[in-house]
Amino acid sequence: LDGEPLEPRTAWGWAQAFALPADGGELVVRHDGGRTAVVVLQALAVGAVAVLAVPAARRRRGLETDDDAQEVRA
């Protein structure tokens, strides 16, 4: 209130509340929860899972094919 933090209280036994003085003033309510950082971390995690889920291409190097094996035996 007027640039000063308010004393936190509990309303109805569970809800967040603040004690306000009777003379009033300018009240600014702001929440700094770091949501952007959480969203970026979640996007990175989803991207990592997507990359890991893509099957890797396997190359067969130096192995004979069935046709090559038959020609050698003949």
Side-chain angles (χ1 to χ4, degrees):
L1 185 66
D2 293 329
E4 297 295 322
L6 296 172
E7 180 184 341
R9 299 268 176 104
T10 302
W12 303 293
W14 61 271
Q16 182 179 10
F18 298 96
L20 294 173
D23 57 347
E26 181 180 347
L27 178 65
V28 177
V29 179
R30 186 179 73 206
H31 176 69
D32 296 327
R35 178 159 167 69
T36 303
V38 172
V39 170
V40 169
L41 288 174
Q42 287 176 343
L44 289 173
V46 168
V49 168
V51 167
L52 292 173
V54 174
R58 297 182 185 193
R59 295 184 182 177
R60 300 174 70 184
R61 295 184 183 195
L63 299 177
E64 296 177 346
T65 63
D66 290 337
D67 295 335
D68 294 337
Q70 290 176 2
E71 290 177 11
V72 172
R73 291 184 204 151

